[in-house]
Amino acid sequence: MAEDHVNAIKELGDQLQTASNSLQVQEIRNTWLGRKGLITGRLKGVAGLPVDQRRDAGQRWNGVRIEAESMIDEALARLQYQEETRQLEQERLDMSIPGVSPGLGMLHPLTRVRRLVEDVFLRMGFTLRYGPEVESEWYNFEALNIPMNHPARDMQDSFFVDIPGMVLRTHTSPVQIRGMKAAAGRLPVKIIAHGRVYRRDDDPTHTPMFHQMEALVVDRGISLADLKGTLLAMTQDLLGEDVETRFRPSYFPFTEPSMEVDVTCAVCGGSGCRVCKGTGWVEILGSGMVHPVVLRNGGYDPDHVSGFAFGLGIERLAMRIFELDDLRLLYQNDLEYLSRFGRYTGRPIL
Ligand code: DAH
């Protein structure tokens, strides 16, 4: 009987020695000190002993219980400490791992093209003007010599708004009139105007909203040679000396004569593809000599001054510069797609 409790302590000590984690120690505690544990059983058994042995046995097994508890607590503390240390080592901050760079970001391809064009014209002494996107029909059509029955007013081309007499401007040309009026007869008028324009179109080369850059020059003795020279300087500056341009006679109500300017298609190099509809050329702008009616509407006398104007499609130019074949991708805000244009190095990007 006296040996019994010594053996118990020894046995518990052995078990605790072999325990390799805190969970095992908890189990050992249960086996010895739990409700049905070995020591608990012995303590309960004391009540059934003959009266003269009870006190002695009670004291012994109580001593065993206290000893066992402190042995278990000690083993538990030791193993828990080891476990925590191991975990901390695993979680340690490794300062040698390369960091995640947030990336610098960049301007949208259309913004870059706009700034390139602006830069070309600001260097030539033009000033920037802005006009409203919700424009009166007078500025958008009548003032530009576009009569009531002109197809450009058709519902298929224009977005009309709920306010009578107003439209979402279909081009930046109304800024020509606004610019001339603001200049109030002074010469020369040399303006560019950039902004959003709206038409009911939607296909790979047309979006319902797109951007134009308008240019207008009014002065004494301005001729078609000035227009051609300016356009040539611009296309060469933007697209390189070797790019081919084509001037095609055309018709616009607000210019006479009128011409469209095409550049060789960047996607196919001129052999013909989906983007250039098989022609090898991409139209980038419409231009011409300002119509006398337009000059008069702007407050200038066509007998004394003349002018040229053109309207450039920023998206068309971006397609040419960045070799895009679907305009609509420019508006989907897919950063993966847009970041591909980060490497354009043809000219310094402003
Ligand atoms: N406004 C025309 C358009 O949107 C483009 C245009 C053509 C503008 C000839 C001009 C011009 O200034 O002279 O298609």
Side-chain angles (χ1 to χ4, degrees), residues 259-278:
M259 53 210 231
E260 275 171 74
V261 176
D262 302 338
V263 291
T264 38
C265 176
V267 175
C268 63
S271 57
C273 67
R274 191 169 67 103
V275 173
C276 56
K277 299 195 177 91

Side-chain angles (χ1 to χ4, degrees), residues 170-173 176 199 212 214-215 252 254-255 286-288 309-311:
T170 56
H171 51 182
T172 43
S173 300
Q176 287 187 29
R199 285 184 207 173
Q212 284 190 338
E214 192 84 13
F252 298 103
F254 33 92
T255 44
S287 64
F310 60 85

Side-chain angles (χ1 to χ4, degrees), residues 305-322:
V305 298
S306 55
F308 71 75
F310 60 85
L312 174 90
I314 295 289
E315 279 80 355
R316 291 302 168 84
L317 195 59
M319 285 180 96
R320 181 62 184 70
I321 289 178
F322 292 116

Side-chain angles (χ1 to χ4, degrees), residues 88 193 242:
L88 279 176
D242 333 314

Side-chain angles (χ1 to χ4, degrees), residues 46 55 107 154 176 190 197 208 216 280 286:
V46 169
R55 211 185 113 141
L107 293 173
D154 201 289
Q176 287 187 29
K190 266 175 96 177
V197 301
L216 171 73

